[in-house]
């Protein structure tokens, strides 16, 4: 059920005017500081800065994050048991460099109390630059224009560039500008942020995390260096300041362990601008001495010094132009929705562009929710977007898992299974989930990773990756499933998987979770198919692999047998797939009788209460049917959707987008659009009331999926096929797809779907069963002028179990 | 399966000679200090002292415990959720008063290094006095006799009495005796004791628990007073010392916050005894000022001063004589086994005699295992023993639950059910189980309490208790079940209970756990039966109850319907009761292939691994069939036993005794005796390798059950009936039973069972279907001279569903 239905314009149009390429705020507010800090955050996947104003106040959480830079701590279980996660990992809020305080006539600019003549803050999706432009009437009555820019570079992942410009519009006055780097542990605002009963929020440390090891400054440059207390990671942050003004000024510099300051005292004259540029570099490592990182900081800053900061803005724009060429989705509909779509797409690239060898945190680098951990949604929601828009980034993200394969092997041994078991949540590769029922029990993480590998391999034909890292991960995950499950004689011999939790965490530790079994089957098949293919086509690579993992080809036979015998729960009477063996035996939760303030259920009922009812956080059977489209017939998909949707709370932000896609597929067009818009505004309208903790990155990826797979009807299970369901309210939908080295632009209208090859060799796609070759000239396939197809009739076409291609 | 099979004499007969009324140690050892501290502990259910030697060293844990005296602490969940237990409760190791250090020629007596000419330590079950008698050859070559006694009084629960006698057997020497009260937080030995991965062990605190509020001394007396840091409980401990010697001596006294000392410096002459008596009183409260407790300490000590300590020993012996008259069990078999039986029975009375209004901790007061918490085993294992030997103690223990009924009501609301939900583990009435799957999910605690109430009511006819406290608890627990379960249409309409854990914690959070459903049904029936009976016989009491709990008599109809419709899983093909709906679908754990060092499984496998297999910690279906004997036919009981026994690890100390009873019932006489002896030596032979944490009180109660219900075949479901199964190795078995105000002595031999009425009015019992009236003269019922009955043939007699009497 769609509790978050968005009616009309979900944003205050006065405060946030519609702009298809920017998020714009025309008046400040202070009751949603956490949310706007998230919405206006800038980052590049390595470095992220929340949208706190330059003054540092008012703020909810002044946050700067470096992907993977974390502190460890001993997880103390109130009641411990064998194999419980031991090493907590929490992304560290690193020293902030966004602080630039302004004083005119010794009065500080503080937006919440300032007399503002004008105000505009905007985040431009075209270049990823955050702007603020305001005119402040000081207590002395002088108008002062303050303009600033802030960006985190996509081309140089260690770099952030800020500019700060002050002009007295009347009179003269002493102006002081204090630009700082501050170790957050001095911020009062931090004290209030803590777990406090919500497992999705970050935690406070009980110790000082960042230990200062270096600080120095020169007139142009300051550098601070730190080491984390437990994890021993190191960080250096440095800043260069350049002052440009014809006013007279003096400057002061100082640094201490927790602060570096650059202070300009300016005798400002009317109309004479004061412009400061601040280039900041962050370098981090797992333990390299701070001194060496400091050298790297210098090199980054020297490069900026040599080329000038404006060149950084130019390069940023060029990089972003290329991104939008590869990734933009244009809809012929509400400009507000278009704006929100681009905000979502911008989040995706901010979260992933320069993650390089690291994973992609659930909140990207926009907040500290989920402690900066990497989860399954990277593989199921995010990587497919990267695979189909910028495969290099997908490869990087998959390689991150490969770097932790040995830890996953060790975890499998601890969990008494063969192969490799990836952690449910982690930064450093070790299991960090302190609640196994909704953590370690989600063995499906292995199959999710295998899914992303298989999808990547099929969409890119990156054989070099597949026969090496890809195949090795497929082998070890397949081994895990073959050992975790067992053969049961139940009339016939079936392969069952017990004691697992699916993505729907409102039911845990069950037998034969349909999602898990479907995805495990695919994992087993993928592993077997790739190994058979390697035997035929890449025997030398297979030889290497066999030696590396001690493989006996008899295992491949076993995987095929396990896949073939896999139990997939089905209730013949209802014609649906039960979520697990027991699901249909449970009592139904009466959602209509549940007061609105008791959602999300997980914060208002003991897990034992939730678990014993038929009630869902997200519909994982429905998700499985999206991910493995050829394995289910249309009638069952529809029946499943219609069974689960009414009992799905959508308490997970991963829910709405998948419900949208499958609503579209099974013929509920209104629901599809409704769910789509719920997902679209998850953060922008803060419908889950926790956007302050960071953006819901998987949901933003789901928005892209809604567009290309929900409305354009793309299925990408080996090949590309389209069965469009354009909403009647929309004139068109257009987006590019990267596929096997080519890029094709798809334009969908009610009347036709048009394909234009933009890059690479001709490709072939399928449109409603018709093969379409796309070469040098655009191809248009008429859709019979009938608009979106009528809902597929239940059972109207025979179910073909297509052996999926890889 | 019986992994702990005891062959031959499980004790080292040289070190622990056989003695049917005492536990005797003839040579000290230092590799099992924790175990012997437990085995030689003395206590009375209010106050307990571990059997540490007077010198305080060598020791595993110097421990003195006061039942219910606990510190609270915030349970910090590594990942929190709604309704998780918040208040940790840990029994405090209170200041020890057993320390009496001896120096001769300034050389300390330390048993582990002393040159001992002779040594004997013994715990006498007839009077509950711990003795030590040794001759020490000092480094100077002088022989010194040291004799001591220690007891905790049953007649005055606040009192402990010790004597310490030193005699130089040759020469003269300066002798120093330092008698102390020491707050344990000064003991180095404590530092090493901690949870360390085993949830059954105690925990270290991270703060100073006992804050000294008072300390003073006079030549005769010292008193120390404390308050706990968080829970605010108060304690005063005082000691009187009396010196009796004709040697010259001087004495010193001092006290500080953590120590009180009485030091005698004696010019000891050869053959002239030095005798010190030390009377110690402990008074505690939930918060009364220490000053007032100090006055109570004085009163206790004054009383001892007036009557003399020897009178305390006399009173103790009289009290214990009465206990053995009510409770002894004599077997015509191995004296070693007889000795072990009496040790077990002594543990039972030590744990419960003066608990008065408190619960009975899982380890009694012999150790800090399980943190001094009260669990379900009190009701299922221990209280029935009290009910049938000393009903007043049973009533006290049941009233303890009643005092926490309001807290149980509040917990029910938090857990979204009506009525009352008692905590799985607690001291102060709040849920303290930090792991819900094996804690809060054990809703059966409610039915266990109801069972003990029903059993107590039927065995005692204590109507006054039943119509007041008893009925009120029955109502609130029945309400809980009626709300927790739900009606499901599964062909027919059945009442199901989902998402619970039964006593077998190797499978958790399941649907329709057979034990739970059987016991919940009985809970519902008991409540309905008692209310119907009150309506007929005690309408005024019913009226009061109805007003107190807001009862609608329509609820009683509902309980009867729920009981009638209760789902009891049954597998027709195997002819057994599955442990729960899914149990038979699981993979079988291969116990034969599991290395011995990986038991208990809970310490060597992740819960998720254990939970997905058919493997048991204890067989709860078998337990249910013992507790509700009339509800199962013999063939099914045998089939269940034979199905579950091979997959039961017995990792729980509650397992062996129940397997013994039911093995006897279903005809596996050898197994019965084997399991009985496993249970008998659980602590004495430390078969579970944790006797150092305290005695397994429920297991000792189970030993009594094995004797009266396993071998004498007593079933006490409303009336008493006997179907004996005397082991062929035994000549006889004799024990008393208290029943409805009378006491009858039962003597069983292979040829006959004889009943002698010792106290009260004539009673009627059933022997193998024959009604036997027991009046003023003994009655002997021949057993056809055939020894134990052959195993009951499967299905040999028709199953009659006897509506149990109350």
């Amino acid at each position: 059920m769609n509790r978050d239905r968005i009616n009309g314009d979900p944003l205050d149009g006065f405060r946030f005017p519609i702009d298809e390429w920017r998020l714009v705020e025309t008046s400040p507010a202070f009751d949603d500081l956490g949310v706007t800090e998230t919405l206006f955050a800038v980052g590049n996947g390595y470095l992220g800065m929340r949208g706190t104003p330059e003054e540092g106040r008012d703020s909810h959480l002044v946050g700067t994050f470096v992907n993977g830079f974390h502190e460890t701590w001993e997880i103390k279980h109130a009641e411990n048991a064998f194999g419980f996660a031991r090493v907590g990992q929490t992304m560290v809020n690193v020293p902030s460099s966004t602080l630039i305080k302004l004083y005119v006539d010794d009065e500080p600019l503080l937006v919440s109390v300032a007399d503002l003549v004008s105000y505009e803050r905007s985040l431009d999706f075209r270049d990823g630059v955050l702007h603020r432009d305001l005119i402040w009437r000081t207590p002395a009555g002088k108008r002062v224009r303050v303009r600033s820019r802030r960006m985190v570079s996509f081309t140089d992942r260690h770099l952030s560039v800020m500019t700060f410009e002050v002009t007295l519009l009347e009179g003269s006055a002493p102006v002081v500008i204090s630009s700082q780097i501050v170790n957050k542990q001095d911020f009062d605002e931090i004290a209030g942020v803590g777990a406090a009963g919500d497992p999705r929020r970050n935690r406070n440390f009980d110790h000082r995390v960042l230990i200062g090891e270096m600080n120095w400054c020169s007139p142009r440059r300051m550098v601070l260096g730190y080491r984390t207390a437990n994890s021993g990671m190191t960080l250096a942050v440095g800043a260069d300041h350049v002052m440009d003004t014809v006013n007279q000024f003096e400057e002061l510099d100082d640094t201490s362990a927790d602060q570096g300051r650059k202070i300009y005292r300016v005798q400002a004259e009317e109309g004479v601008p004061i412009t400061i540029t601040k280039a900041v570099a962050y370098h981090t490592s797992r333990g390299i001495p701070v001194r060496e990182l400091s050298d790297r900081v210098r090199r980054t800053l020297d490069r900026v010094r040599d080329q000038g900061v404006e060149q950084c803005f130019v390069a940023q724009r060029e990089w972003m132009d290329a991104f939008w060429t590869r990734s933009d989705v244009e809809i012929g509909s509400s400009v507000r929705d278009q704006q929100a779509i681009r905000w979502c797409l911008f989040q995706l690239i901010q979260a992933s562009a320069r993650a390089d060898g690291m994973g992609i945190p659930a909140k990207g680098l926009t907040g500290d929710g989920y402690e900066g951990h990497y989860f399954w949604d990277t593989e199921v929601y995010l990587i497919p977007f990267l695979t189909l828009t910028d495969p290099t980034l997908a490869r990087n993200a998959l390689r991150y898992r490969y770097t932790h394969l040995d830890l996953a092997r060790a975890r499998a041994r601890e969990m008494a299974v063969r192969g490799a078991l990836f952690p449910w949540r982690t930064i450093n590769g070790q299991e960090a989930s302190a609640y196994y029922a909704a953590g370690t029990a989600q063995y499906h993480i292995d199959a999710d990773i295998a899914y992303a590998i298989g999808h990547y391999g099929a969409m890119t034909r990156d054989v070099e990756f597949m026969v090496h890292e890809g195949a090795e991960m497929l082998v070890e995950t397949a081994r895990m499933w073959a050992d975790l499950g067992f053969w049961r004689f139940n009339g016939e011999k079936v392969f069952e998987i017990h004691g697992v939790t699916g993505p729907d965490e409102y039911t845990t530790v069950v037998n034969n979770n349909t999602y898990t079994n479907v995805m495990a089957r695919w994992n087993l098949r993928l592993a077997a198919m790739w190994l058979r293919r390697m035997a035929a086509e890449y025997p030398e690579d297979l030889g290497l692999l066999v030696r590396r993992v001690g493989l006996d080809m008899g295992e491949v036979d076993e995987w095929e047998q396990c896949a073939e015998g896999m139990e997939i729960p089905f209730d013949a009477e209802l014609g649906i797939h039960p979520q697990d063996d027991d699901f249909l035996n449970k009592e139904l939760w009466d959602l209509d009788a549940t007061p609105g303030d008791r959602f999300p259920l997980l914060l208002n009922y003991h897990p034992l209460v939730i678990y014993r009812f038929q009630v869902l956080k997200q519909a994982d059977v429905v998700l499985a049917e999206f991910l493995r489209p050829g394995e289910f017939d249309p009638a069952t998909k529809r029946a499943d959707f219609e069974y689960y949707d009414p009992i799905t709370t959508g308490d997970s932000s991963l829910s709405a987008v998948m419900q949208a896609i499958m609503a579209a597929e099974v013929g509920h067009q209104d629901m599809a659009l409704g769910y789509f818009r719920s997902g679209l505004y998850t953060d922008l309208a803060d419908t889950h009331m926790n956007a302050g903790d960071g953006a819901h990155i998987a949901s933003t990826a789901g928005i892209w999926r809604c567009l290309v797979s929900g409305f354009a009807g793309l299925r990408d299970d080996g090949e590309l096929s389209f069965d469009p369901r354009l909403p009647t309210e929309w004139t068109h939908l257009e987006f590019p797809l990267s596929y096997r080295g080519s890029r094709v632009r798809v334009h969908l209208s009610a009347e036709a779907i048009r394909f234009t090859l933009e890059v690479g060799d001709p490709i072939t796609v399928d449109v409603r069963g018709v093969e379409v070759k796309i070469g040098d000239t655009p191809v248009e396939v008429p859709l019979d002028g009938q608009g979106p197809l009528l809902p597929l009739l239940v059972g109207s076409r025979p179910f073909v179990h297509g052996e999926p291609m890889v």
Side-chain angles (χ1 to χ4, degrees), chain A:
Chain A
M1 64 190 286
N2 194 348
R3 288 188 303 108
D4 300 325
R5 183 174 290 279
I6 302 290
N7 295 314
D9 187 349
L11 296 183
D12 169 357
F14 177 76
R15 182 174 163 210
F16 296 104
I18 291 170
D19 184 322
E20 67 170 314
W21 280 108
R22 299 189 307 155
L23 179 65
V24 185
E25 179 191 54
T26 58
S27 61
F30 307 96
D31 57 352
D32 61 353
L33 284 170
V35 176
T36 53
E37 284 170 9
T38 295
L39 298 184
F40 287 100
V42 289
N44 63 11
Y46 168 76
L47 174 65
M49 297 175 173
R50 285 170 64 80
T52 321
E54 280 69 11
E55 301 78 46
R57 293 187 301 157
D58 293 309
S59 67
H60 170 76
L61 172 67
V62 177
T64 300
F65 303 102
V66 172
N67 189 356
F69 191 81
H70 68 281
E71 175 66 323
T72 50
W73 42 278
E74 183 193 349
I75 299 178
K76 287 182 179 144
H77 295 278
E79 190 169 325
N80 199 10
F82 183 90
F84 277 12
R86 289 180 295 272
V87 181
Q89 302 146 45
T90 302
M91 184 170 69
V92 174
N93 192 350
V94 301
S96 167
S97 53
T98 56
L99 262 187
I100 304 177
K101 296 185 178 183
L102 170 67
Y103 303 82
V104 177
D105 283 326
D106 284 345
E107 294 299 323
L109 169 62
L110 181 58
V111 167
S112 60
V113 297
D115 179 1
L116 296 179
V117 179
S118 68
Y119 171 94
E120 186 183 275
R121 177 160 64 156
S122 64
L123 175 61
D124 196 320
F125 311 138
R126 287 165 298 200
D127 57 8
V129 177
L130 176 66
H131 299 258
R132 191 177 67 173
D133 190 348
L134 61 84
I135 296 176
W136 167 35
R137 184 181 286 111
T138 70
K142 297 167 188 167
R143 288 181 305 133
V144 184
R145 159 156 281 170
V146 184
R147 281 204 287 217
S148 61
R149 292 180 291 172
R150 180 192 299 166
M151 71 150 199
V152 173
S153 171
F154 286 106
T155 55
D156 185 341
R157 69 184 191 136
H158 300 281
L159 180 67
S160 168
V161 174
M162 299 159 225
T163 66
F164 194 76
E165 183 185 322
V166 180
T167 311
L168 264 63
L169 299 184
E170 56 222 355
S172 61
V175 167
V176 175
I177 299 169
S178 173
S179 173
Q180 303 182 13
I181 297 175
V182 182
N183 182 7
K184 70 170 180 86
Q185 304 193 5
D186 288 343
F187 280 95
D188 285 341
E189 290 86 346
I190 302 301
V193 178
D198 183 346
R200 304 167 304 180
R201 299 195 65 190
N202 206 348
R203 66 183 59 241
N204 283 328
F205 290 105
D206 59 0
H207 67 279
R208 169 166 273 262
V209 172
L210 290 171
I211 313 297
E213 291 204 345
M214 165 190 286
N215 67 86
W216 59 264
C217 61
S218 66
R220 181 184 183 108
R221 183 166 292 177
M222 63 177 76
V223 176
L224 304 172
Y226 298 90
R227 186 180 294 272
T228 53
N230 296 342
S231 65
M233 298 188 81
T234 49
L235 174 146
V237 51
D240 275 6
H241 287 85
V242 175
M243 164 62 100
D244 181 14
T245 187
V246 296
N247 290 306
Q248 286 204 312
F249 69 94
E250 59 173 342
E251 51 191 311
L252 300 167
D253 321 282
D254 66 43
T255 55
S256 62
D258 288 324
Q259 195 176 43
R261 289 193 299 179
K262 178 76 182 182
I263 300 170
Y264 294 100
R265 296 176 178 171
V266 188
Q267 295 300 329
E269 302 298 333
E270 180 174 320
V272 180
I274 304 161
T275 304
I276 293 168
T277 60
K278 182 178 186 179
V280 182
Y282 289 83
H283 281 265
T284 50
S285 86
R286 279 190 284 181
I288 286 173
V290 162
R291 181 174 308 277
E292 187 172 332
L293 295 182
S294 160
D295 290 342
R296 297 183 189 179
V297 165
R298 291 186 199 211
R299 287 200 293 272
T300 301
L301 293 177
D302 287 351
R303 203 160 53 236
V304 177
R305 180 193 62 202
D306 295 345
Q307 70 187 21
V309 297
E310 289 309 319
Q311 180 53 37
C312 297
F313 286 101
V314 171
Q316 182 86 339
R317 174 68 191 234
E318 288 171 356
W319 195 97
M320 284 301 291
D321 284 346
F323 164 72
W324 289 113
T325 302
R326 286 191 311 269
S327 318
D328 188 29
V329 181
E330 186 184 299
I331 60 170
S333 172
S334 141
V335 182
R336 174 64 92 197
D337 288 357
Q338 179 69 66
Q339 177 185 30
I341 289 167
R342 292 211 172 103
W343 183 87
C344 289
L345 297 173
F346 181 65
Q347 297 313 313
L348 286 172
I349 201 64
Q350 286 209 117
S352 59
R354 301 308 305 271
D356 294 12
M358 300 304 302
I360 298 164
K363 303 289 188 183
L365 299 169
T366 63
D368 61 2
Y370 290 114
E371 303 181 68
H373 287 179
Y374 317 134
F375 291 82
W376 72 299
D377 48 356
T378 302
E379 276 76 13
V380 171
Y381 285 72
L382 186 56
I383 292 182
F385 159 77
L386 298 175
T387 297
L388 287 166
T389 58
D390 194 347
T392 303
L393 300 188
R395 189 182 209 271
N396 289 346
L398 292 171
R399 273 195 52 84
Y400 156 72
R401 293 291 189 185
Y402 184 71
T403 62
H404 288 159
L405 182 56
D406 274 343
L407 287 168
R409 288 184 174 111
R411 179 63 174 163
R413 285 193 295 275
E414 186 170 46
M415 293 300 296
V417 282
R418 293 187 65 211
L421 178 58
F422 283 94
W424 174 245
R425 57 188 294 176
T426 191
I427 296 176
N428 69 9
Q430 292 181 284
E431 177 63 87
S433 169
Y435 179 55
Y436 73 77
T440 298
Q442 297 197 50
Y443 289 87
H444 67 82
I445 180 75
D446 266 26
D448 303 330
I449 292 169
Y451 166 81
I453 292 168
H455 181 261
Y456 173 80
M459 293 294 107
T460 63
R461 292 202 164 145
D462 178 354
V463 170
E464 186 274 340
F465 174 85
M466 290 304 293
V467 299
H468 185 246
E469 295 97 328
E472 189 169 340
M473 288 193 278
L474 291 176
V475 165
E476 296 292 22
T477 51
R479 281 174 163 170
M480 196 285 293
W481 292 116
D483 194 31
L484 181 68
F486 71 107
W487 289 98
R488 187 159 84 88
F489 289 89
N490 181 22
E492 56 185 341
K493 199 176 157 200
V494 289
F495 190 74
E496 302 206 342
I497 299 173
H498 286 198
V500 305
T501 299
D504 171 38
E505 296 172 340
Y506 279 0
T507 301
T508 64
V509 193
V510 297
N511 298 341
N512 297 314
N513 170 258
T514 295
Y515 175 90
T516 302
N517 288 20
V518 167
M519 298 303 287
R521 178 169 69 181
W522 179 230
N523 191 159
L524 290 160
R525 283 184 177 155
L526 267 174
M529 285 189 286
W530 267 98
L531 263 67
R532 299 259 183 247
R533 183 165 162 193
M534 285 171 71
E537 298 178 38
Y538 311 101
E540 281 183 27
D541 292 304
L542 180 62
L544 290 170
L545 178 66
V546 162
R547 279 197 293 282
R548 211 157 55 236
V549 301
L551 187 77
D552 167 356
M553 288 299 282
E555 288 185 67
V556 180
D557 300 334
E558 184 195 352
W559 300 338
E560 286 169 338
Q561 288 156 13
C562 294
E564 197 55 39
M566 184 71 72
E567 167 71 7
I568 306 293
F570 187 75
D571 184 277
E573 196 175 323
L574 294 172
I576 67 162
H577 291 283
Q579 185 166 308
D580 59 70
D581 276 353
D582 286 327
F583 189 80
L584 297 180
N585 300 335
K586 293 171 188 259
E587 190 172 3
L588 278 160
W589 186 291
D590 188 348
L591 282 176
D592 291 333
T594 307
D597 62 1
R598 300 206 74 180
F599 292 92
L601 302 184
L602 74 143
L603 296 188
N604 294 285
Y605 294 91
H606 192 289
L608 281 170
V609 179
I610 298 172
Y611 295 170
R612 71 171 183 264
F613 286 89
Q614 290 192 45
V615 65
L616 276 63
K617 195 175 176 192
Q618 64 189 107
D620 54 18
V621 169
V622 172
L623 173 58
E625 289 172 339
F626 170 67
L627 296 176
R628 304 297 319 127
E631 300 179 17
F632 300 89
D633 69 276
T636 305
K637 289 191 214 185
R638 180 168 180 149
D640 279 333
F641 180 88
E642 291 178 351
Y643 187 85
Y644 288 107
D645 188 72
I647 55 174
T648 299
T649 59
D651 284 348
S652 167
S653 67
L654 303 178
S655 177
V657 288
M658 275 306 149
Q659 293 303 96
I661 295 171
M662 292 305 287
E665 173 168 341
V666 306
H668 293 291
Q669 305 310 320
D670 284 355
M671 290 179 74
L673 196 55
Y675 274 124
F676 167 72
R677 296 192 80 231
S678 291
L680 186 58
Y681 293 100
T682 298
D683 291 310
L684 287 162
D686 194 21
T687 56
H688 283 248
M689 291 174 295
N690 61 1
D693 298 336
H696 295 80
I697 298 302
S699 174
T700 64
I703 287 302
W704 177 83
R705 262 295 186 196
C706 284
L707 293 162
V708 303
S709 291
F711 301 132
L714 169 70
R715 291 297 178 274
D716 42 357
D717 186 24
E719 310 275 344
L720 301 186
S721 69
F722 294 87
D723 187 1
R725 275 135 173 78
L726 188 70
T728 49
E729 296 87 341
W730 295 8
T731 58
H732 67 277
L733 171 60
E734 182 176 317
F735 53 88
L737 288 176
S738 294
Y739 178 65
R740 298 184 180 170
S742 299
R743 191 174 74 226
V744 65
R745 178 160 297 274
V746 181
H747 181 96
L748 174 67
S749 68
E751 294 74 28
I753 185 165
R754 186 174 69 237
F755 299 96
T756 310
L757 189 66
E758 294 188 332
V759 172
D761 297 330
I763 63 170
T764 301
V765 303
D766 171 293
V767 176
R768 292 185 178 161
V770 179
E771 190 177 281
V772 179
K773 287 190 197 300
I774 308 165
D776 291 340
T777 52
V779 187
E780 183 161 297
V781 182
L783 296 173
D784 305 331
Q786 68 186 21
L789 273 195
L790 291 175
L792 294 164
L793 293 177
V794 173
S796 67
R797 65 182 185 193
F799 168 59
V800 179
H801 181 287
E803 190 67 24
M805 283 172 282
V806 290

